[in-house]
Amino acid sequence: RVLFFGLVAAAMGSTANEALGFVAGPCQLFIVGKMADAQYQQAAACATYLAEQQVQVTATLEPYFETQFEQRIKELGHLYGGAFCAHKPVEPLCFGVTPGPQPRVMYFRTHNKFLGWAKKVYQYEDKTNLALYSRRARAAVQAALAEPGKQYCTVMIQVDEEPPDTLAFELFADICPQTCKNFLAMISSGKLSDCPFHRIVEGAWVQTGDLVDGSGGNSAPLEGPPEGFRDESFQAQHTTPGILGMANRGENSNGSQFYITLRALPFLNGKCVAFGRVIRGMRALKVLGQLATVNERPTANARIVGATTSLGEGA
């Protein structure tokens, strides 16, 4: 019992405001949030129960990693406007859409507002200890990490003597297995440690991976021909900030240097191999991308200070 979201959204002509006074009736509930968040899991359980018990209610659940959740909030803000534009990613985004030729949106500022609405309208009451939802959240993350075709890693970055920050990546091993293998090999070798970000293109990307002297003039792969390895796939597109890709000097010249996008860069599609995405740490990436530069080289000592081929808590 799932409505086609695109048609509902296209039919709406007005912006959304917080749901007040909505009564029982046909609606589709959307619960959007971080899979690692116990509050998201609690709201999702409520929506699922209502969809199972109420003929006129359907539910769509959208669990994401941190970065993808933040990007989804922005998409929904552009789509619906109003209160959606001010929604903060510390809370899951809960809303409902009523069917008909002029659909209306029910927006809930917090997940507790949504639970309160469910109690008032449908007498739904959840007395489950939040610890259970925390365990459910951890299990959801572990299940996502275990899905075939993806690998994960973390890269620790530091600017001057500021506290280090962590970027967590999902690697597209299903479409770029050799490229991902090369990247993980660099991490395992330890050679990325103390590697500087030698290039920051304002509003576009940050670049690192010169394992020789950090100047940006070197990009030989750890294994294979020194001129670089082939372009494995252009299937992944540069559609959002946080895309991880191989820097090159032309066709089939991938080595050790890589970049992370600061915005969508469609002109790179078909020219550079995108093989991963940031799933946690976009705030740190944004700070990195705003550093002062001279000829695109940061004046601060921005560098990688560590990397692991695993993913920590909090995705």
Side-chain angles (χ1 to χ4, degrees):
R1 293 181 295 120
V2 177
L3 301 177
F4 181 48
F5 181 39
L7 290 181
V8 174
M12 291 188 54
S14 59
T15 58
N17 293 304
E18 188 163 359
L20 295 172
F22 277 82
V23 297
C27 72
Q28 183 179 17
L29 299 174
F30 291 85
I31 310 298
V32 185
K34 294 178 286 188
M35 68 181 80
D37 181 13
Q39 295 177 339
Y40 165 79
Q41 297 294 341
Q42 186 178 34
C46 173
T48 299
Y49 177 84
L50 294 181
E52 291 172 348
Q53 299 298 317
Q54 304 294 327
V55 175
Q56 293 182 312
V57 176
T58 62
T60 296
L61 309 181
E62 297 187 27
Y64 293 106
F65 289 116
E66 179 184 276
T67 297
Q68 285 62 51
F69 173 49
E70 294 168 354
Q71 292 170 346
R72 182 63 171 145
I73 289 176
K74 292 181 180 178
E75 291 174 357
L76 292 170
H78 289 307
L79 189 63
Y80 289 113
F84 281 73
C85 294
H87 191 84
K88 304 299 182 184
V90 295
E91 279 279 347
L93 177 51
C94 308
F95 66 102
V97 178
T98 63
Q102 293 184 320
R104 299 178 64 193
V105 170
M106 304 179 289
Y107 168 82
F108 302 95
R109 183 164 49 88
T110 67
H111 86 290
N112 281 327
K113 293 282 188 183
F114 170 65
L115 295 176
W117 171 83
K119 180 179 181 180
K120 178 180 179 181
V121 176
Y122 293 107
Q123 293 74 55
Y124 175 85
E125 191 167 4
D126 187 353
K127 296 183 179 180
T128 306
N129 191 305
L130 197 61
L132 182 143
Y133 291 114
S134 295
R135 290 195 294 270
R136 185 176 293 181
R138 289 192 293 271
V141 171
Q142 291 305 312
L145 299 183
E147 290 182 3
K150 298 292 187 292
Q151 293 174 300
Y152 299 87
C153 62
T154 55
V155 173
M156 282 67 77
I157 63 174
Q158 188 173 21
V159 178
D160 290 333
E161 300 307 315
E162 294 294 321
D165 283 305
T166 299
L167 301 179
F169 293 98
E170 177 184 68
L171 305 182
F172 306 148
D174 52 344
I175 59 176
C176 292
Q178 291 304 313
T179 307
C180 294
K181 181 181 178 181
N182 174 76
F183 188 71
L184 292 173
M186 284 200 298
I187 291 177
S188 298
S189 73
K191 292 184 177 180
L192 276 180
S193 225
D194 214 33
C195 187
F197 285 89
H198 63 267
R199 189 182 186 192
I200 296 177
V201 182
E202 183 180 3
W205 72 84
V206 301
Q207 189 168 332
T208 183
D210 182 339
L211 306 181
V212 178
D213 58 15
S215 67
N218 307 281
S219 187
L222 291 182
E223 299 178 358
E227 63 271 17
F229 57 91
R230 69 181 181 87
D231 297 324
E232 190 168 16
S233 172
F234 295 121
Q235 182 177 335
Q237 303 284 287
H238 299 77
T239 54
T240 64
I243 294 297
L244 175 66
M246 294 302 302
N248 62 47
R249 299 181 300 275
E251 186 177 354
N252 298 318
S253 62
N254 302 287
S256 61
Q257 288 196 35
F258 58 94
Y259 58 85
I260 312 165
T261 63
L262 301 172
R263 61 176 174 86
L265 297 174
F267 73 90
L268 292 180
N269 295 336
K271 297 177 181 177
C272 295
V273 175
F275 66 98
R277 63 179 181 174
V278 175
I279 59 172
R280 186 177 72 242
M282 284 299 294
R283 292 175 186 82
L285 178 61
K286 183 177 180 180
V287 170
L288 183 63
Q290 292 175 339
L291 293 178
T293 61
V294 174
N295 295 325
E296 297 184 342
R297 189 172 185 91
T299 55
N301 182 16
R303 63 203 184 280
I304 295 172
V305 293
T308 65
T309 56
S310 61
L311 193 64
E313 293 292 324

